[in-house]
Amino acid sequence: MILSIGEILVDLIGEEKNGITKYGRFCGGAPFNVAVNAKQSGAKTGFIGRVGKDPFGKFIKDYANKAGFEYLNIQEDEERNTTLAVVSLTNGERDFAFFRHDTADFNIDENEIDLNKYEDLTIVHLGSLMLSEEKGQKFASSTLKKIREANKIFSFDVNFRKNLYGDIEQAKKAYKPYIDEADILKFSDDEIFAYTGESSIEKAVNAVEKENRLLLVTLGSCGSMYKYNGLSGFIPTEKVIPVDTTGAGDAFFGTTLANLDGKEFTEENIEKALIKGNEAGAKATLFKGAIKL
């Protein structure tokens, strides 16, 4: 079983027509998107997140119930609003602006995280958006400790949002403990260059690889690559014309995790999983919003 923990929010995706921008409402949040894609890829899956007791929160809860997770816990915050991400699209590429001043997503009740209650739990995936807030960092630290105590695989996607941090050094400081600890670690090519300061993908990968860690790097329209205990490879992807790239990396990662869940990290298994991940990532760019239920 894969358990994903972290932000669930509303993506407001804009579209301009005749000088007027209209925003559509979509359910999003990287850990939720990962969980949906893992479930749609056949994995037993759970999700934990938090929303406000408001119309956006109700929309999210109603939508999430359609996913068919084996376990779903969306906490409802009586005091805080649901987090909103306003997404602007240019030729399918997105730009984010967050409405997120003490909102619900990073205020998950850590007392409700008991990893021993889930049958067949193997992988715990932790969202990164929470790391931009002190409360979120405290929650993430507590959850990582529980993952280690329960002897589960720790999955982490850097999923860097630069407008949530004062500068890159502040962001790197927040991310470092989780990048250092992750058993399965995913970067995009832009993120691994920003984090390591290296100018070549080979040097950047070498800077963050370590023993018994499966390192994944998405390369946009070029595909993806991996490195694990001396194994490495590049997996090309199908070329598509994107409508909206929101959630493509999450589709890749959730599908990859589902295809690795319960399997040894052999060259064959990793490469088969990345082929499926690439396919899911490409398909996710062909519609608006991060997921389809």
Side-chain angles (χ1 to χ4, degrees):
M1 176 181 173
I2 299 168
L3 178 65
S4 188
I5 306 171
E7 69 269 13
I8 185 169
L9 47 79
V10 168
D11 287 327
L12 297 174
I13 301 179
E15 181 177 16
E16 185 178 338
K17 286 186 178 179
N18 301 321
I20 298 173
T21 301
K22 295 182 179 181
Y23 289 89
R25 181 177 63 173
F26 299 86
C27 192
F32 179 69
N33 300 339
V34 166
V36 168
N37 281 279
K39 177 61 182 175
Q40 291 178 340
S41 298
K44 187 176 179 181
T45 309
F47 177 76
I48 301 172
R50 191 173 182 91
V51 299
K53 193 174 183 179
D54 53 34
F56 288 117
K58 183 179 186 306
F59 164 73
I60 284 174
K61 292 184 76 171
D62 290 345
Y63 194 82
N65 280 322
K66 300 176 184 178
F69 295 136
E70 279 70 22
Y71 182 84
L72 177 63
N73 176 12
I74 298 183
Q75 302 170 9
E76 195 171 68
D77 198 309
E78 298 280 347
E79 299 177 1
R80 301 173 180 87
N81 291 330
T82 302
T83 304
L84 306 179
V86 180
V87 186
S88 301
L89 296 176
T90 304
N91 297 324
E93 294 298 326
R94 68 265 158 85
D95 185 34
F96 287 89
F98 289 93
F99 286 79
R100 194 170 173 263
H101 179 67
D102 199 25
T103 47
D105 78 89
F106 57 89
N107 283 282
I108 301 172
D109 184 354
E110 65 181 78
N111 295 320
E112 294 191 26
I113 309 297
D114 178 6
L115 301 183
N116 296 312
K117 66 188 283 187
Y118 306 100
E119 186 178 354
D120 302 325
L121 178 62
T122 53
I123 299 172
V124 181
H125 177 73
L126 187 64
S128 64
L129 201 67
M130 66 182 72
L131 299 179
S132 64
E133 302 290 339
E134 186 176 346
K135 289 179 183 177
Q137 292 173 13
K138 181 176 179 294
F139 173 83
S141 178
S142 171
T143 302
L144 177 56
K145 183 179 179 182
K146 291 177 182 180
I147 293 170
R148 288 298 177 231
E149 289 173 347
N151 197 29
K152 306 303 178 185
I153 295 172
F154 171 42
S155 164
F156 187 70
D157 181 359
V158 173
N159 202 32
F160 177 51
R161 297 285 176 257
K162 63 182 179 181
N163 58 342
L164 294 178
Y165 295 88
D167 57 47
I168 186 63
E169 293 306 317
Q170 181 185 356
K172 287 165 67 172
K173 182 178 178 181
Y175 280 85
K176 189 177 187 304
Y178 307 94
I179 289 173
D180 287 349
E181 284 289 330
D183 302 305
I184 304 177
L185 175 63
K186 174 189 165 292
F187 284 91
S188 70
D189 48 0
D190 289 342
E191 289 162 349
I192 199 168
F193 289 141
Y195 184 75
T196 63
E198 298 291 351
S199 57
S200 76
I201 194 68
E202 182 180 0
K203 289 181 179 179
V205 165
N206 290 341
V208 292
E209 70 165 328
K210 74 172 191 177
E211 187 178 6
N212 298 326
R213 162 184 286 164
L214 175 58
L215 175 63
L216 307 175
V217 183
T218 55
L219 306 169
S221 62
C222 293
S224 59
M225 62 178 295
Y226 72 92
K227 198 156 190 179
Y228 178 73
N229 284 356
L231 300 174
S232 63
F234 163 74
I235 310 298
T237 190
E238 177 187 1
K239 301 294 184 182
V240 298
I241 299 174
V243 173
D244 176 8
T245 58
T246 305
D250 304 329
F252 164 84
F253 202 22
T255 302
T256 298
L257 291 178
N259 282 275
L260 289 172
D261 187 26
K263 298 178 181 177
E264 291 185 27
F265 290 176
T266 63
E267 182 177 28
E268 181 181 9
N269 287 340
I270 294 169
E271 296 198 355
K272 282 183 177 179
L274 264 64
I275 290 169
K276 294 290 187 181
N278 284 353
E279 291 173 354
K283 288 178 181 177
T285 70
L286 300 180
F287 56 84
K288 279 199 170 183
I291 51 175
K292 268 189 177 181
L293 293 177

